[in-house]
Amino acid sequence: QVQLVESGGGLVQAGGSLRLSCAASGRTFGYYGMGWFRQAPGKEREFVAAINWSGGSTDYADSVKGRFTISRDNARNTVALQMNSLKPEDTGVYYCAAGRAGNRRYEYNYWGQGTQVTVSS
């Protein structure tokens, strides 16, 4: 069982940066791939980024490549999402998830409650 708690969301102007963090409980954190998804109002939850158990492999949605960076610290049971050059279309609730590090929702078993990111134009 893994419990996930996101933090770091907020309001930022376009072009700005935010760093999201996800703290995981449970001794098996290092066995899981981790992902970030987001959901804008009226839209489905979509893949943002993923990282494998060791941190040696990452994947990104085309819309965030070159702007977002996912990382993890297995010693601290945390995963982070550094978001730079933010755009209004990045607005949404961001969710941390633990699973197989794929880009589909069904590949993740555990989800956090989400943190709101709002980018103003």
Side-chain angles (χ1 to χ4, degrees):
Q1 188 85 9
V2 177
Q3 294 180 325
L4 305 171
V5 179
E6 303 95 335
S7 61
L11 174 64
V12 64
Q13 288 189 332
S17 298
L18 279 176
R19 184 177 179 86
L20 304 183
S21 184
C22 174
S25 64
R27 295 177 295 173
T28 58
F29 172 77
Y31 296 158
Y32 289 95
M34 299 297 295
W36 286 95
F37 286 72
R38 67 187 180 190
Q39 188 166 16
K43 294 188 176 181
E44 291 195 356
R45 195 172 299 188
E46 65 175 5
F47 170 74
V48 175
I51 189 166
N52 75 333
W53 68 273
S54 69
S57 178
T58 58
D59 187 24
Y60 297 92
D62 288 343
S63 59
V64 307
K65 279 181 181 176
R67 300 188 298 121
F68 290 12
T69 302
I70 188 171
S71 61
R72 68 187 296 161
D73 184 340
N74 286 346
R76 291 187 168 88
N77 280 14
T78 59
V79 61
L81 185 68
Q82 178 66 43
M83 305 186 295
N84 298 329
S85 302
L86 282 160
K87 305 175 181 180
E89 51 264 43
D90 294 318
T91 294
V93 178
Y94 281 68
Y95 297 90
C96 174
R100 293 196 300 175
N103 59 11
R104 304 296 180 92
R105 289 176 59 182
Y106 69 79
E107 296 182 275
Y108 293 86
N109 307 97
Y110 304 102
W111 293 83
Q113 293 300 307
T115 185
Q116 176 71 45
V117 171
T118 303
V119 184
S120 63
S121 57

